[in-house]
Amino acid sequence: MSKSQLLSLSVQGLGVISDVTLDFSPGFTVITGETGAGKTLLVDALTLCAGGDSRTPRRGDELAVSAVFLLDDDREICLQRTVVNAQRLKASVDGSPTSSEALRVLGQEILSIHGQHDSLRLKNRTEVVATIDRFGGVDSSQLTDLRGELARLRADQIRFGGSDSERERQIDFARFQIDEIDRAAISSPTEIEESLERLQNLTAIQDQMVAIQRVADQLEAEDGIGEFVHSVSSLTSEGEVGVVRSQLLDAIRSIRAAVGALSSLTDPENVDPEEIDTLNRRVDTLRSLARKYGGDLSSVLSARQEAESVIHNLGNAAEAFNANEVRIREVEELERREAARISHLRHIAADRFTSDVNENLPRVALPNARIEIVTGGYDGGEMDIQFYPNPGSRGGPIQHIGSGGELSRVLLAVSLVVGESGRVTVFDEIDSGIGGNVAQSIGECLRDLSHEQQVIAVTHLASVAAQADHHFVVEKHVVDNTTRTTIRAVSGSERVTEIARMLSGDGAVTESRALAERLLQR
């Protein structure tokens, strides 16, 4: 039973596809149709749903593709990509927004797509190692755990200050920081702002001293307000005149009090040039310290606390460091032994895997080809697949030597040996460039693989299509100078007609239908 199964695929606005929804079933499904009808667009749609990119242009400003999968815990999950109003592609899972990278990681767990130009599973070293481990039953979890413990222990050594000399250096530096900050005697995290405000006030007063003095002198001038006060005082204090007289005298007293306060600001005790110089130097000192420790005085004070923590932690870290160092040596030895054990198992698994895949290569139309896995690294974790397409020919890394069709067929041979771990597996024109009995063999391989997992194949060969459990036909129509693609499931006589068309073209003859019926009788 597959761990994942594609239930449905909806496509809107992709290439010549306007709006289609397909329902899929377990087993082996083929997608057929004339060249250019849009078969590969369905593969592009699945690629988008799995977080990948598509080379197919959109029909317009809007695009929506979604794929619903059934997981092995009977839970359904919907992967979706949309474009609205010509904006960038947006990704979502079950309707909740996510990143295309997160969608890609999730998609890789449930879907494998192998096209003419994309068999990354054979090119990625990590995937090759995972395949060999799965095939050989190699469990490297203990090695992973030991390496994780080593990483934590080494991080602890850094936290413990490293060697004795390094620890002393860090303590000395922390003491230097504390001394430097303490010498500044910061009064508060806002001292810079407070000092600048005081400095601004003093500078403003200093700049206005002449004008302030002139105001005071004018107030006391004999021909100034004094005569005005005398005239107001001579007014009667009775009646309405008396009310106004009282208001004027109050106003004069307020003016004199305000001018007095203004004059007091110019008192040498209030405006000391030395204080201005002192404040300027203080602000420069605090700003320099703030720049050094993070931008403001709060960062400076936090740095002092951190320095105190360093002294406290490292002062008692020597014993922990030494105990940790002993454990590191122990784990390193355990890791070395486990890596050697895993390397041995991987070499054995790689040899068996190579032999089994090479036995299956003739079944996938590569009768003269062979592969070889080159294993390196002290844990056997550096693997490359070397491909030799013909006897006596020069081989090399499969991603450089193999054609798109060869890559896909090698992947099929690999899948027959080790499976895709329950992923839904899609093959795009894996049968390109082959025919006859070879095509029949490819179809049988795909059918055999579908017993372990859901398989979907885009094909142009009747021998392959006839092996499938389910069949979709892609058809292109031109109506009013507009191209439209439709996709429909076929069975019974309709499927016979499609297989016959694949055998002899649209002018299917009686012999082609008879052959189609024989191919379908399996």
Side-chain angles (χ1 to χ4, degrees), residues 444-475:
E444 291 172 354
C445 289
L446 291 170
R447 186 190 63 206
D448 291 347
L449 183 61
S450 71
H451 296 157
E452 302 297 327
Q453 62 205 74
Q454 188 182 30
V455 174
I456 300 169
V458 174
T459 182
H460 62 277
L461 293 181
S463 298
V464 173
Q467 297 290 328
D469 303 302
H470 316 285
H471 194 153
F472 287 104
V473 176
V474 181
E475 297 170 319

Side-chain angles (χ1 to χ4, degrees), residues 426-446:
V426 180
F427 293 96
D428 184 13
E429 297 193 6
I430 189 175
D431 48 20
S432 177
I434 63 174
N437 293 332
V438 173
Q440 177 77 15
S441 180
I442 290 288
E444 291 172 354
C445 289
L446 291 170

Side-chain angles (χ1 to χ4, degrees), residues 184-195:
I186 300 170
S187 62
S188 75
T190 59
E191 185 180 353
I192 291 179
E193 292 76 12
E194 294 167 357
S195 297

Side-chain angles (χ1 to χ4, degrees), residues 144-155:
T144 301
D145 291 344
L146 288 169
R147 287 173 173 172
E149 184 178 357
L150 269 179
R152 291 189 296 271
L153 289 168
R154 287 165 178 160

Side-chain angles (χ1 to χ4, degrees), residues 499-511:
I499 297 294
R501 181 203 64 78
M502 298 174 72
L503 288 168
S504 61
D506 285 335
V509 296
T510 304
E511 291 80 359

Side-chain angles (χ1 to χ4, degrees), residues 489-506:
V490 294
S491 60
S493 62
E494 284 187 320
R495 190 176 183 197
V496 172
T497 299
E498 173 61 12
I499 297 294
R501 181 203 64 78
M502 298 174 72
L503 288 168
S504 61
D506 285 335

Side-chain angles (χ1 to χ4, degrees), residues 285-302:
T285 298
L286 294 177
R287 280 177 166 171
S288 175
L289 202 61
R291 284 193 298 270
K292 185 174 182 179
Y293 287 98
D296 56 32
L297 293 184
S298 294
S299 299
V300 176
L301 296 174
S302 295

